[in-house]
Amino acid sequence: MTQRNAIRAELNFLVPKDEYRHARPVYVASEGGADAGLYMIGQFELVAVDIGNARSVPEQPVLDREGFTLAGHSTAVSNFSDDRQVSDIYEAEVRDLVMAATG
């Protein structure tokens, strides 16, 4: 899908392999915040893709098809520069939002 005002960027995609048919690649979560790290086990390759505004497409993205979805959300956070508000309020809000979308 090429959109007007889309940008082109390189993203890492998992290389399809027979060994992934029966076992999923592993994502290892670390602690959150500024010390967060992302560790994934698998072979990846950079692929150039067009990135556009998903809010303007006729058929909305679905998590199981596109790997992401759009969800409306209002937050009780009044100041995102306040680390305490982000950790005490926003992190729980996002957790609940993700749980509602994924079960």
mmCIF file of all heavy atoms in Angstrom, residues 35-63:
data_model
loop_
_atom_site.group_PDB
_atom_site.id
_atom_site.type_symbol
_atom_site.label_atom_id
_atom_site.label_comp_id
_atom_site.label_asym_id
_atom_site.label_seq_id
_atom_site.Cartn_x
_atom_site.Cartn_y
_atom_site.Cartn_z
ATOM 1 N N ASP A 35 16.509 1.918 31.729
ATOM 2 C CA ASP A 35 17.451 0.793 31.669
ATOM 3 C C ASP A 35 16.918 -0.374 30.843
ATOM 4 O O ASP A 35 17.497 -1.454 30.863
ATOM 5 C CB ASP A 35 17.773 0.310 33.086
ATOM 6 C CG ASP A 35 18.462 1.385 33.904
ATOM 7 O OD1 ASP A 35 19.261 2.143 33.320
ATOM 8 O OD2 ASP A 35 18.199 1.469 35.120
ATOM 9 N N ALA A 36 15.821 -0.168 30.145
ATOM 10 C CA ALA A 36 15.194 -1.246 29.393
ATOM 11 C C ALA A 36 16.117 -1.735 28.283
ATOM 12 O O ALA A 36 16.883 -0.972 27.704
ATOM 13 C CB ALA A 36 13.867 -0.785 28.802
ATOM 14 N N GLY A 37 16.008 -2.998 27.991
ATOM 15 C CA GLY A 37 16.757 -3.597 26.898
ATOM 16 C C GLY A 37 15.843 -4.511 26.110
ATOM 17 O O GLY A 37 14.836 -4.984 26.623
ATOM 18 N N LEU A 38 16.168 -4.763 24.890
ATOM 19 C CA LEU A 38 15.385 -5.638 24.036
ATOM 20 C C LEU A 38 16.300 -6.733 23.520
ATOM 21 O O LEU A 38 17.302 -6.440 22.867
ATOM 22 C CB LEU A 38 14.794 -4.851 22.861
ATOM 23 C CG LEU A 38 14.100 -5.660 21.775
ATOM 24 C CD1 LEU A 38 12.863 -6.358 22.334
ATOM 25 C CD2 LEU A 38 13.706 -4.766 20.621
ATOM 26 N N TYR A 39 15.964 -7.951 23.828
ATOM 27 C CA TYR A 39 16.764 -9.082 23.392
ATOM 28 C C TYR A 39 15.845 -10.047 22.663
ATOM 29 O O TYR A 39 14.878 -10.535 23.227
ATOM 30 C CB TYR A 39 17.422 -9.780 24.580
ATOM 31 C CG TYR A 39 18.204 -8.820 25.438
ATOM 32 C CD1 TYR A 39 17.662 -8.304 26.605
ATOM 33 C CD2 TYR A 39 19.465 -8.383 25.049
ATOM 34 C CE1 TYR A 39 18.368 -7.398 27.375
ATOM 35 C CE2 TYR A 39 20.165 -7.471 25.813
ATOM 36 C CZ TYR A 39 19.618 -6.985 26.975
ATOM 37 O OH TYR A 39 20.304 -6.085 27.729
ATOM 38 N N MET A 40 16.143 -10.292 21.395
ATOM 39 C CA MET A 40 15.351 -11.238 20.619
ATOM 40 C C MET A 40 16.289 -12.243 19.994
ATOM 41 O O MET A 40 17.349 -11.888 19.477
ATOM 42 C CB MET A 40 14.535 -10.516 19.558
ATOM 43 C CG MET A 40 13.474 -9.615 20.166
ATOM 44 S SD MET A 40 12.370 -8.897 18.963
ATOM 45 C CE MET A 40 11.333 -10.291 18.597
ATOM 46 N N ILE A 41 15.876 -13.492 20.061
ATOM 47 C CA ILE A 41 16.672 -14.570 19.498
ATOM 48 C C ILE A 41 16.015 -14.977 18.178
ATOM 49 O O ILE A 41 14.849 -15.352 18.139
ATOM 50 C CB ILE A 41 16.743 -15.758 20.474
ATOM 51 C CG1 ILE A 41 17.385 -15.287 21.783
ATOM 52 C CG2 ILE A 41 17.502 -16.924 19.846
ATOM 53 C CD1 ILE A 41 17.245 -16.263 22.916
ATOM 54 N N GLY A 42 16.754 -14.881 17.106
ATOM 55 C CA GLY A 42 16.256 -15.193 15.781
ATOM 56 C C GLY A 42 17.121 -14.475 14.763
ATOM 57 O O GLY A 42 17.978 -13.675 15.115
ATOM 58 N N GLN A 43 16.914 -14.762 13.493
ATOM 59 C CA GLN A 43 17.684 -14.099 12.444
ATOM 60 C C GLN A 43 16.790 -13.053 11.786
ATOM 61 O O GLN A 43 15.660 -13.331 11.411
ATOM 62 C CB GLN A 43 18.147 -15.108 11.396
ATOM 63 C CG GLN A 43 18.997 -14.483 10.315
ATOM 64 C CD GLN A 43 19.452 -15.503 9.277
ATOM 65 O OE1 GLN A 43 19.285 -16.695 9.438
ATOM 66 N NE2 GLN A 43 20.002 -14.999 8.194
ATOM 67 N N PHE A 44 17.314 -11.831 11.674
ATOM 68 C CA PHE A 44 16.540 -10.720 11.142
ATOM 69 C C PHE A 44 17.223 -10.131 9.918
ATOM 70 O O PHE A 44 18.424 -10.272 9.734
ATOM 71 C CB PHE A 44 16.387 -9.627 12.210
ATOM 72 C CG PHE A 44 15.647 -10.106 13.412
ATOM 73 C CD1 PHE A 44 16.301 -10.742 14.451
ATOM 74 C CD2 PHE A 44 14.277 -9.924 13.508
ATOM 75 C CE1 PHE A 44 15.611 -11.199 15.565
ATOM 76 C CE2 PHE A 44 13.581 -10.379 14.614
ATOM 77 C CZ PHE A 44 14.254 -11.006 15.646
ATOM 78 N N GLU A 45 16.416 -9.456 9.083
ATOM 79 C CA GLU A 45 16.969 -8.746 7.936
ATOM 80 C C GLU A 45 16.260 -7.408 7.790
ATOM 81 O O GLU A 45 15.081 -7.283 8.116
ATOM 82 C CB GLU A 45 16.842 -9.567 6.657
ATOM 83 C CG GLU A 45 15.425 -9.747 6.169
ATOM 84 C CD GLU A 45 15.353 -10.576 4.896
ATOM 85 O OE1 GLU A 45 16.363 -10.707 4.188
ATOM 86 O OE2 GLU A 45 14.260 -11.073 4.598
ATOM 87 N N LEU A 46 16.997 -6.405 7.320
ATOM 88 C CA LEU A 46 16.411 -5.084 7.069
ATOM 89 C C LEU A 46 15.651 -5.113 5.749
ATOM 90 O O LEU A 46 16.167 -5.584 4.736
ATOM 91 C CB LEU A 46 17.507 -4.020 6.997
ATOM 92 C CG LEU A 46 18.076 -3.551 8.325
ATOM 93 C CD1 LEU A 46 19.245 -2.596 8.100
ATOM 94 C CD2 LEU A 46 16.997 -2.863 9.150
ATOM 95 N N VAL A 47 14.420 -4.612 5.783
ATOM 96 C CA VAL A 47 13.586 -4.545 4.594
ATOM 97 C C VAL A 47 13.050 -3.123 4.475
ATOM 98 O O VAL A 47 12.543 -2.567 5.446
ATOM 99 C CB VAL A 47 12.403 -5.543 4.684
ATOM 100 C CG1 VAL A 47 11.496 -5.427 3.472
ATOM 101 C CG2 VAL A 47 12.914 -6.966 4.857
ATOM 102 N N ALA A 48 13.177 -2.528 3.298
ATOM 103 C CA ALA A 48 12.655 -1.184 3.066
ATOM 104 C C ALA A 48 11.143 -1.262 2.885
ATOM 105 O O ALA A 48 10.652 -2.068 2.083
ATOM 106 C CB ALA A 48 13.302 -0.561 1.845
ATOM 107 N N VAL A 49 10.404 -0.470 3.657
ATOM 108 C CA VAL A 49 8.942 -0.472 3.590
ATOM 109 C C VAL A 49 8.432 0.964 3.570
ATOM 110 O O VAL A 49 9.108 1.884 4.016
ATOM 111 C CB VAL A 49 8.319 -1.226 4.784
ATOM 112 C CG1 VAL A 49 8.698 -2.695 4.774
ATOM 113 C CG2 VAL A 49 8.702 -0.594 6.106
ATOM 114 N N ASP A 50 7.225 1.138 3.047
ATOM 115 C CA ASP A 50 6.553 2.433 3.102
ATOM 116 C C ASP A 50 5.723 2.470 4.374
ATOM 117 O O ASP A 50 5.000 1.528 4.691
ATOM 118 C CB ASP A 50 5.631 2.630 1.893
ATOM 119 C CG ASP A 50 6.416 2.766 0.606
ATOM 120 O OD1 ASP A 50 7.507 3.365 0.644
ATOM 121 O OD2 ASP A 50 5.943 2.271 -0.427
ATOM 122 N N ILE A 51 5.808 3.569 5.113
ATOM 123 C CA ILE A 51 5.048 3.737 6.348
ATOM 124 C C ILE A 51 4.122 4.926 6.158
ATOM 125 O O ILE A 51 4.568 6.033 5.861
ATOM 126 C CB ILE A 51 5.981 3.972 7.551
ATOM 127 C CG1 ILE A 51 6.928 2.785 7.706
ATOM 128 C CG2 ILE A 51 5.173 4.199 8.817
ATOM 129 C CD1 ILE A 51 8.008 2.985 8.749
ATOM 130 N N GLY A 52 2.828 4.664 6.315
ATOM 131 C CA GLY A 52 1.833 5.708 6.138
ATOM 132 C C GLY A 52 0.955 5.833 7.368
ATOM 133 O O GLY A 52 1.137 5.130 8.363
ATOM 134 N N ASN A 53 0.001 6.713 7.297
ATOM 135 C CA ASN A 53 -0.918 6.970 8.394
ATOM 136 C C ASN A 53 -2.034 5.938 8.381
ATOM 137 O O ASN A 53 -2.929 5.988 7.538
ATOM 138 C CB ASN A 53 -1.488 8.386 8.276
ATOM 139 C CG ASN A 53 -2.393 8.752 9.425
ATOM 140 O OD1 ASN A 53 -2.726 7.930 10.273
ATOM 141 N ND2 ASN A 53 -2.806 9.999 9.454
ATOM 142 N N ALA A 54 -2.011 5.017 9.334
ATOM 143 C CA ALA A 54 -3.013 3.956 9.391
ATOM 144 C C ALA A 54 -4.406 4.490 9.691
ATOM 145 O O ALA A 54 -5.400 3.815 9.440
ATOM 146 C CB ALA A 54 -2.617 2.920 10.441
ATOM 147 N N ARG A 55 -4.487 5.683 10.216
ATOM 148 C CA ARG A 55 -5.800 6.251 10.516
ATOM 149 C C ARG A 55 -6.543 6.669 9.246
ATOM 150 O O ARG A 55 -7.737 6.909 9.279
ATOM 151 C CB ARG A 55 -5.651 7.456 11.446
ATOM 152 C CG ARG A 55 -5.265 7.057 12.846
ATOM 153 C CD ARG A 55 -4.938 8.277 13.694
ATOM 154 N NE ARG A 55 -4.501 7.906 15.023
ATOM 155 C CZ ARG A 55 -3.270 7.541 15.345
ATOM 156 N NH1 ARG A 55 -2.341 7.495 14.405
ATOM 157 N NH2 ARG A 55 -2.958 7.198 16.570
ATOM 158 N N SER A 56 -5.839 6.777 8.132
ATOM 159 C CA SER A 56 -6.480 7.252 6.911
ATOM 160 C C SER A 56 -6.799 6.138 5.911
ATOM 161 O O SER A 56 -7.294 6.432 4.830
ATOM 162 C CB SER A 56 -5.585 8.302 6.237
ATOM 163 O OG SER A 56 -4.377 7.707 5.791
ATOM 164 N N VAL A 57 -6.559 4.891 6.255
ATOM 165 C CA VAL A 57 -6.872 3.797 5.332
ATOM 166 C C VAL A 57 -8.308 3.345 5.531
ATOM 167 O O VAL A 57 -8.844 3.410 6.641
ATOM 168 C CB VAL A 57 -5.886 2.609 5.493
ATOM 169 C CG1 VAL A 57 -4.477 3.018 5.141
ATOM 170 C CG2 VAL A 57 -5.949 2.015 6.877
ATOM 171 N N PRO A 58 -8.967 2.889 4.463
ATOM 172 C CA PRO A 58 -10.386 2.515 4.578
ATOM 173 C C PRO A 58 -10.615 1.325 5.523
ATOM 174 O O PRO A 58 -11.583 1.292 6.247
ATOM 175 C CB PRO A 58 -10.795 2.154 3.160
ATOM 176 C CG PRO A 58 -9.648 2.445 2.284
ATOM 177 C CD PRO A 58 -8.466 2.793 3.125
ATOM 178 N N GLU A 59 -9.733 0.341 5.486
ATOM 179 C CA GLU A 59 -9.874 -0.839 6.350
ATOM 180 C C GLU A 59 -8.884 -0.715 7.506
ATOM 181 O O GLU A 59 -7.673 -0.702 7.297
ATOM 182 C CB GLU A 59 -9.609 -2.118 5.553
ATOM 183 C CG GLU A 59 -9.920 -3.372 6.316
ATOM 184 C CD GLU A 59 -9.772 -4.624 5.471
ATOM 185 O OE1 GLU A 59 -9.569 -4.517 4.254
ATOM 186 O OE2 GLU A 59 -9.853 -5.708 6.051
ATOM 187 N N GLN A 60 -9.407 -0.603 8.715
ATOM 188 C CA GLN A 60 -8.564 -0.402 9.888
ATOM 189 C C GLN A 60 -7.656 -1.613 10.127
ATOM 190 O O GLN A 60 -8.045 -2.754 9.887
ATOM 191 C CB GLN A 60 -9.423 -0.139 11.124
ATOM 192 C CG GLN A 60 -10.105 1.211 11.086
ATOM 193 C CD GLN A 60 -9.084 2.347 11.052
ATOM 194 O OE1 GLN A 60 -8.342 2.539 11.992
ATOM 195 N NE2 GLN A 60 -9.051 3.086 9.968
ATOM 196 N N PRO A 61 -6.432 -1.384 10.615
ATOM 197 C CA PRO A 61 -5.511 -2.480 10.877
ATOM 198 C C PRO A 61 -6.005 -3.380 12.008
ATOM 199 O O PRO A 61 -6.634 -2.917 12.957
ATOM 200 C CB PRO A 61 -4.213 -1.771 11.269
ATOM 201 C CG PRO A 61 -4.626 -0.412 11.700
ATOM 202 C CD PRO A 61 -5.874 -0.088 10.960
ATOM 203 N N VAL A 62 -5.722 -4.662 11.873
ATOM 204 C CA VAL A 62 -6.110 -5.670 12.859
ATOM 205 C C VAL A 62 -4.834 -6.313 13.387
ATOM 206 O O VAL A 62 -3.931 -6.646 12.617
ATOM 207 C CB VAL A 62 -7.026 -6.727 12.211
ATOM 208 C CG1 VAL A 62 -7.395 -7.822 13.195
ATOM 209 C CG2 VAL A 62 -8.275 -6.065 11.654
ATOM 210 N N LEU A 63 -4.763 -6.506 14.688
ATOM 211 C CA LEU A 63 -3.564 -7.026 15.335
ATOM 212 C C LEU A 63 -3.099 -8.341 14.713
ATOM 213 O O LEU A 63 -1.908 -8.520 14.437
ATOM 214 C CB LEU A 63 -3.819 -7.206 16.833
ATOM 215 C CG LEU A 63 -2.640 -7.590 17.691
ATOM 216 C CD1 LEU A 63 -1.542 -6.537 17.621
ATOM 217 C CD2 LEU A 63 -3.079 -7.791 19.132
#
